[in-house]
Amino acid sequence: MAGHFEATPGGGAAVALDEVEIAILRSLAVQLLELIGPGDEAVEGEDPLAALFAEGPSEPPSDPALARLFPEAYGDEDKELREASAEFRRFTENDLRSRKRQDALTVVRTLDGLSPGGDGGAVLRLGADECRSWLGSLNDLRLTIGTRLEVSDEDEGQDGSLYRLPDSDPRKPMVMAYLWLGALQETLIETMMPKQ
């Protein structure tokens, strides 16, 4: 189980994490929460229907990482497609942000709920719903880091440049996190696939 998720009964998954891995995952999830921004949760006494129909932004985010997390729905090739994308964004981005925020909060909360062993590590056990939240958050973290690193498809292949960075390269720690998150994501997907 060390280093990768394994299926558990009931559609869950488990992974053994050491103290450093727990700290890295928690830190990345908190940074993702900061990037996504605070929520627009309904205030007590506020009309729930008004909150349901609240409009979001119509322009894409200027930050490339946020633009990757909240992409254009229809592209921007012509004026009609830009208008359709703006309309789609107005009515969907708030909900998408809320879901991404909840996924990242699930990661933080499940990590905070771990009981470390004598070596500081612990086994993280997730239920089926938590698996989906973790999968969403791992994907968001990889998209964000990949955007910051300007990762291309060529970089990711086994012969790609990500695997050949010298230790002196300042991007190396984030590249290692990016690759590790990909391995976690892949093994979590495998645990969630129906067995035949």
Side-chain angles (χ1 to χ4, degrees):
M1 182 183 323
H4 62 276
F5 279 99
E6 292 183 4
T8 60
V15 63
L17 299 169
D18 66 32
E19 190 174 9
V20 172
E21 291 169 331
I22 293 167
I24 290 170
L25 282 167
R26 189 181 190 291
S27 175
L28 289 172
V30 167
Q31 290 176 55
L32 181 62
L33 284 166
E34 291 170 356
L35 179 66
I36 293 169
D40 298 326
E41 277 65 8
V43 178
E44 189 174 324
E46 184 179 316
D47 180 5
L49 285 177
L52 180 65
F53 293 106
E55 292 183 12
S58 59
E59 294 296 318
S62 59
D63 181 317
L66 281 174
R68 185 71 177 103
L69 292 175
F70 306 104
E72 290 285 43
Y74 306 110
D76 59 359
E77 291 80 36
D78 63 37
K79 185 178 187 234
E80 193 172 301
L81 288 176
R82 281 193 301 274
E83 289 173 359
S85 284
E87 189 77 1
F88 185 81
R89 182 178 299 280
R90 271 186 37 230
F91 294 108
T92 61
E93 187 170 313
N94 285 346
D95 287 341
L96 186 55
R97 279 183 185 268
S98 178
R99 194 194 84 231
K100 289 180 181 299
R101 194 176 302 107
Q102 285 304 322
D103 288 347
L105 281 171
T106 297
V107 170
V108 171
R109 288 177 181 144
T110 54
L111 291 171
D112 287 351
L114 290 176
S115 300
D119 61 356
V123 174
L124 174 69
R125 297 183 193 287
L126 303 174
D129 288 341
E130 292 170 325
C131 284
R132 285 186 284 282
S133 291
W134 264 77
L135 188 57
S137 208
L138 288 171
N139 187 61
D140 291 343
L141 288 169
R142 280 185 43 85
L143 287 173
T144 301
I145 293 170
T147 302
R148 297 284 190 239
L149 292 171
E150 298 178 350
V151 172
S152 68
D153 289 340
E154 295 80 37
D155 295 330
E156 280 201 68
Q158 283 290 30
D159 299 327
S161 62
L162 288 182
Y163 293 92
R164 295 184 307 234
L165 281 178
D167 290 343
S168 60
D169 191 308
R171 298 172 298 163
K172 183 79 174 209
M174 287 312 295
V175 167
M176 297 307 293
Y178 176 80
L179 295 172
W180 174 57
L181 292 170
L184 284 176
Q185 183 180 19
E186 185 176 337
T187 60
L188 183 55
I189 289 170
E190 288 170 3
T191 68
M192 297 171 71
M193 299 291 285
K195 306 299 181 238
Q196 296 186 13

